[in-house]
Amino acid sequence: MEYKLENPVRISTKSPHESLYRWFVEELDTATKKISPNYVPWGWSLYFDATALTVVRSLEFETDKTSDVNEHIHGRLTPQTSDRRAAASYSFFGTNRKIERFTLRIVKSKDDEESFHVFGSPSYEHEWDFENLLQSDTVEVEVVLPASRFERIASFVESDNPKAVLILGGVHGFYSEWSPSIRTTDIKVLANLKDQKVSIDGEAEIDPPVLGKIGSFSFRLLKGGVATGKIEADDTEADPPSIFEERPASPAPSVDISGLEKKLAKLAIPLWIAVG
């Protein structure tokens, strides 16, 4: 399998600011001349819109084996582009290509365990059924949830076409230039040292983070919204109650139905889900 790489990648310990970072990742040209900034692990939050959410339920069985039901939610992720989020451009180390394919996969756990991971790889060519196919640059966020939590999300996805926002923080394998700011416009992705042919300067013992772990994860589904359909979230506002919270039932009060209908017609009621 040959990955589509354009530039050599190197980990250097010649930090110009050792008090800020001891090592960094850099890209070189074919003559080993430095052509990139100094990239260090990026630990702040990054924002994505999740669209085309689909619940997939499948029944599978083989001869002399019991049947098996697999369930997951699949969707596309798009880096947010609003100025307030300081929209970032993503590319793999060793390439100049912008990553166009981000996906989200929420899986129903079979043992009530939960986990959050991110996977990906640069573009590569492979053979399938005597035909050479090109796999594009890909990053996928996978979430495994206990059955009860999965079903709550699935019910909202199946009942409507909600807007959704995914917030990731401290993603292993995401790098950017060091900055005192919590925003960046340039994210480089390190998926695998061997696949991306990363060399290490000298004999330094460095174990750079690669794709896998996620420091923080938040997934919000929003139904309703303003007339334009644009999602706005003020970081200073408290989150609405999560649908994961159980609430005791209470007697329904007497209400003016006609007045209530007029009020509801003017409202857009967002329902948010926060996971992680």
Side-chain angles (χ1 to χ4, degrees):
M1 185 182 298
E2 187 69 23
Y3 291 91
K4 302 298 182 180
L5 304 175
E6 299 153 357
N7 306 315
V9 182
R10 179 173 65 191
I11 296 174
S12 175
T13 57
K14 299 175 182 178
S15 172
H17 308 286
E18 291 192 1
S19 61
L20 300 177
Y21 52 89
R22 186 172 57 88
W23 58 270
F24 58 89
V25 184
E26 60 184 355
E27 291 183 303
L28 315 169
D29 63 14
T30 53
T32 68
K33 179 181 178 181
K34 182 183 177 69
I35 59 173
S36 76
N38 298 340
Y39 289 102
V40 295
W42 181 257
W44 300 103
S45 295
L46 297 163
Y47 297 78
F48 298 83
D49 291 321
T51 58
L53 295 171
T54 304
V55 180
V56 180
R57 305 179 191 270
S58 62
L59 172 63
E60 302 173 8
F61 66 91
E62 297 180 19
T63 304
D64 299 328
K65 294 184 179 180
T66 58
S67 60
D68 188 21
V69 176
N70 294 302
E71 302 173 72
H72 72 273
I73 300 169
H74 185 270
R76 292 196 301 267
L77 296 176
T78 305
Q80 286 196 347
T81 57
S82 64
D83 291 339
R84 189 170 67 82
R85 299 303 188 198
S89 176
Y90 295 76
S91 62
F92 280 99
F93 276 113
T95 78
N96 300 315
R97 300 182 302 271
K98 181 179 178 181
I99 300 174
E100 301 288 352
R101 184 180 178 186
F102 291 87
T103 57
L104 172 66
R105 180 180 171 87
I106 303 176
V107 181
K108 183 176 180 179
S109 173
K110 296 182 181 298
D111 53 12
D112 276 345
E113 295 294 328
E114 67 179 19
S115 61
F116 310 89
H117 295 89
V118 59
F119 308 97
S121 86
S123 175
Y124 60 89
E125 192 173 272
H126 63 101
E127 182 181 333
W128 183 80
D129 196 21
F130 304 104
E131 182 181 2
N132 288 331
L133 302 178
L134 182 65
Q135 173 67 47
S136 61
D137 299 313
T138 303
V139 173
E140 178 170 280
V141 179
E142 182 181 85
V143 185
V144 180
L145 291 179
S148 59
R149 292 193 176 188
F150 175 89
E151 289 300 339
R152 290 192 180 205
I153 297 178
S155 65
F156 273 82
V157 173
E158 290 179 318
S159 65
D160 201 351
N161 183 26
K163 304 179 191 306
V165 175
L166 178 65
I167 306 172
L168 302 177
V171 180
H172 285 211
F174 280 9
Y175 291 74
S176 187
E177 294 182 69
W178 184 92
S179 170
S181 172
I182 62 173
R183 302 178 182 180
T184 181
T185 59
D186 178 25
I187 292 289
K188 278 288 186 178
V189 181
L190 185 58
N192 186 288
L193 296 177
K194 181 179 178 181
D195 293 344
Q196 291 173 262
K197 301 179 180 178
V198 179
S199 63
I200 299 180
D201 186 22
E203 300 296 329
E205 294 184 1
I206 299 173
D207 186 20
V210 297
L211 287 185
K213 296 181 180 179
I214 301 175
S216 63
F217 176 98
S218 178
F219 181 59
R220 298 173 178 176
L221 289 174
L222 299 93
K223 296 175 66 174
V226 294
T228 62
K230 183 178 180 181
I231 299 174
E232 292 289 350
D234 187 344
D235 291 341
T236 61
E237 295 180 357
D239 287 348
S242 166
I243 66 167
F244 291 141
E245 298 176 4
E246 300 291 345
R247 294 177 176 80
S250 57
S254 175
V255 296
D256 180 355
I257 298 299
S258 61
L260 180 60
E261 290 178 346
K262 293 178 181 179
K263 292 180 180 180
L264 289 176
K266 300 178 181 179
L267 294 178
I269 308 174
L271 298 178
W272 293 33
I273 298 179
V275 180

